[in-house]
Amino acid sequence: MNLRRARVLWLLLKAMYGTQIAAAAWLKLVRETLDLGGWSPLESIACVSYNAEADSMVVYHGDDFLAEGDDKTLDRLDEVLGAFVLKKAPRV
C-alpha cells in the first residue's frame, strides 16, 4: 500500500497570542540591562546600543548579541550580560 504524506502549508494572518508581547518584553529587558551597564540604545536603530565612553557598540536581535570593543570593554560587557545565561563564541 502506497501512502503519501499530505503536505499542508498554513498562512499565519496574525501573530499568535503572546509572541509579540514576549518579544517586546525581552527587548525591553535587554535594553534596560545594557543601559544600566553604560550602553545606551540608539534612537535611530532599534536593536543597537552604544557606549560613548568606551566607543563600543552592541547589536542584538532576539537572543543573539554581537559586540565590538577592546578586551577591557568586552570584559565589562560580559559582566553586564552576566544577568543572562549566555553561550559565548571565541573573540576575534
Side-chain angles (χ1 to χ4, degrees), residues 55-86:
D55 192 27
S56 174
M57 192 172 291
V58 180
V59 179
Y60 43 95
H61 182 265
D63 60 352
D64 296 324
F65 296 87
L66 177 66
E68 60 85 23
D70 59 19
D71 283 336
K72 180 181 173 186
T73 302
L74 294 178
D75 289 340
R76 172 70 182 126
L77 181 61
D78 285 344
E79 291 174 15
V80 170
L81 294 178
F84 309 118
V85 177
L86 299 175

Side-chain angles (χ1 to χ4, degrees), residues 18-90:
T19 56
Q20 290 178 331
I21 296 168
W26 173 250
L27 178 62
K28 181 181 177 190
L29 178 63
V30 169
R31 291 182 95 177
E32 288 173 352
T33 303
L34 288 171
D35 196 28
L36 289 173
W39 280 265
S40 301
L42 297 182
E43 296 296 325
S44 58
I45 306 173
C47 294
V48 177
S49 292
Y50 180 70
N51 185 325
E53 183 180 316
D55 192 27
S56 174
M57 192 172 291
V58 180
V59 179
Y60 43 95
H61 182 265
D63 60 352
D64 296 324
F65 296 87
L66 177 66
E68 60 85 23
D70 59 19
D71 283 336
K72 180 181 173 186
T73 302
L74 294 178
D75 289 340
R76 172 70 182 126
L77 181 61
D78 285 344
E79 291 174 15
V80 170
L81 294 178
F84 309 118
V85 177
L86 299 175
K87 184 167 87 173
K88 296 185 285 187

